[in-house]
Amino acid sequence: MSKTTVGFIGVGRLGFPLAAALADAGFPVVCTNRGRAEEIVARGATIPGDGTARAVAEAADVVVSCLPSVASLEEVTTGPGGVLSAGQVPPLIEASTFSLTDKARIRAEFTARGAELFDAPVSGTPAMVEARMAVIYASGDQGVHDRFADVFKAMSPNYTYVGDFGTGTKMKLVAQFLGMVHVTAAVEAMAYAKLAGLDLGQVAELISASPGAMSGQFKVRAPLIAAGRFEGRLVTVNMALKDLEEIIAYGEELDAPLDLVHIANEHYRKLAEDGFGEADPGKLFDALLGERLVRAQ
């Protein structure tokens, strides 16, 4: 039995390792001619026809999208040459982190064509996806999920079907809520250690081995902070702000407590305004120490 042909739209920072995982698992992958298309073609993928989203949809049994903005999702779905302009519209697994309102609006366009849009955001950095450690929270029609469970599994062995459409985004927002608070706490703890005169390399090593104190974000970022590496290899401040805005907007709808998230958002908003939007959020370490050094003068 031949494997499912998977279309992939959005072969970028996060999408590339997802598409590569599919190709490595032996799935025929077709992609648009944008982003890191040449690299994924070198891994065995092909670019169908004119390389548009419509051409990908017409060549695939199911399509995965992983995109940086709602505008880009609208362009490749409802725009000219988009997925919905295909003669037969396949299910779309939408792996980006956008608001439920935006995803539901675009899903309605798919429903009108008798197709399904699956809400399946990824929780994890590109490096985590590549290491097969990321989690996908898949939500949508159970029957469609069951048909393409092997596709989800190939992209992330840790994927979970979490229920009806929208549940995936809700779960991802909880994960991002904790992730951004933990990042901010790790940065502030390292600044505290620096001001206390401790060796940051030793702090990173010892605290990462302490079950009662360590978080995954501390374990990842403390060594980078100790080494002064803030180039945004994992995620950028701008990307963090996009997720924080989604967390806050939905949290306000729920009347949820958001104190720590608001503090994190204020930190990274100022960092972006100071010109560090493409840096890793760990760059906050320099900003916090700088503020204190100025006050001490």
Side-chain angles (χ1 to χ4, degrees):
M1 182 177 177
S2 60
K3 282 200 171 186
T4 301
T5 297
V6 184
F8 210 101
I9 301 172
V11 187
R13 185 191 294 260
L14 191 63
F16 179 82
L18 290 172
L22 289 165
D24 291 349
F27 286 90
V29 175
V30 293
C31 66
T32 59
N33 55 11
R34 299 166 60 177
R36 299 171 65 181
E38 289 186 7
E39 293 177 63
I40 200 64
V41 166
R43 299 284 284 264
T46 58
I47 299 174
D50 59 1
T52 60
R54 176 175 57 204
V56 167
E58 290 176 341
D61 300 307
V62 63
V63 176
V64 179
S65 60
C66 188
L67 298 158
S69 67
V70 173
S72 58
L73 178 61
E74 289 175 332
E75 178 188 350
V76 302
T77 54
T78 64
V83 171
L84 289 170
S85 65
Q88 191 76 22
V89 180
L92 177 70
I93 297 170
E94 216 305 291
S96 318
T97 301
F98 301 136
S99 74
L100 281 172
T101 301
D102 288 322
K103 284 199 175 185
R105 174 171 48 80
I106 295 172
R107 184 191 184 215
E109 302 269 1
F110 277 76
T111 302
R113 287 291 311 275
E116 177 69 15
L117 186 148
F118 229 78
D119 171 39
V122 179
S123 180
T125 65
M128 291 176 183
V129 173
E130 187 173 1
R132 315 303 294 284
M133 294 170 57
V135 179
I136 295 176
Y137 303 121
S139 62
D141 181 84
Q142 175 81 60
V144 173
H145 162 265
D146 291 348
R147 282 171 55 202
F148 300 108
D150 56 343
V151 173
F152 286 106
K153 192 76 172 177
M155 290 191 292
S156 171
N158 299 320
Y159 100 92
T160 301
Y161 175 71
V162 294
D164 294 340
F165 177 86
T167 309
T169 285
K170 294 175 184 179
M171 196 72 71
K172 171 64 184 289
L173 292 177
V174 173
Q176 290 300 93
F177 186 119
L178 287 169
M180 291 315 305
V181 169
H182 287 321
V183 169
T184 309
V187 172
E188 290 195 354
M190 290 296 279
Y192 187 98
K194 177 71 174 179
L195 292 168
L198 296 174
D199 178 283
L200 295 188
Q202 187 178 49
V203 171
E205 179 182 355
L206 294 180
I207 300 301
S208 292
S210 173
M214 182 280 282
S215 72
Q217 291 292 352
F218 185 91
K219 193 168 186 177
V220 169
R221 281 193 165 76
L224 299 178
I225 291 170
R229 294 167 58 189
F230 307 119
E231 65 272 22
R233 297 181 315 117
L234 304 175
V235 68
T236 67
V237 169
N238 286 336
M239 293 164 66
L241 282 170
K242 179 182 80 69
D243 287 351
L244 283 164
E245 287 169 2
E246 299 292 354
I247 293 165
I248 291 169
Y250 188 56
E252 288 175 345
E253 289 181 32
L254 302 173
D255 193 26
L258 297 167
D259 297 357
L260 296 177
V261 171
H262 277 301
I263 290 169
N265 191 53
E266 289 170 12
H267 274 317
Y268 300 116
R269 178 68 57 197
K270 185 174 187 305
L271 203 56
E273 289 171 354
D274 288 344
F276 298 107
E278 292 305 307
D280 185 271
K283 184 66 178 175
L284 178 62
F285 175 82
D286 280 351
L288 293 177
L289 287 180
E291 291 171 5
R292 280 149 182 80
L293 290 174
V294 168
R295 288 203 295 268
Q297 290 176 352

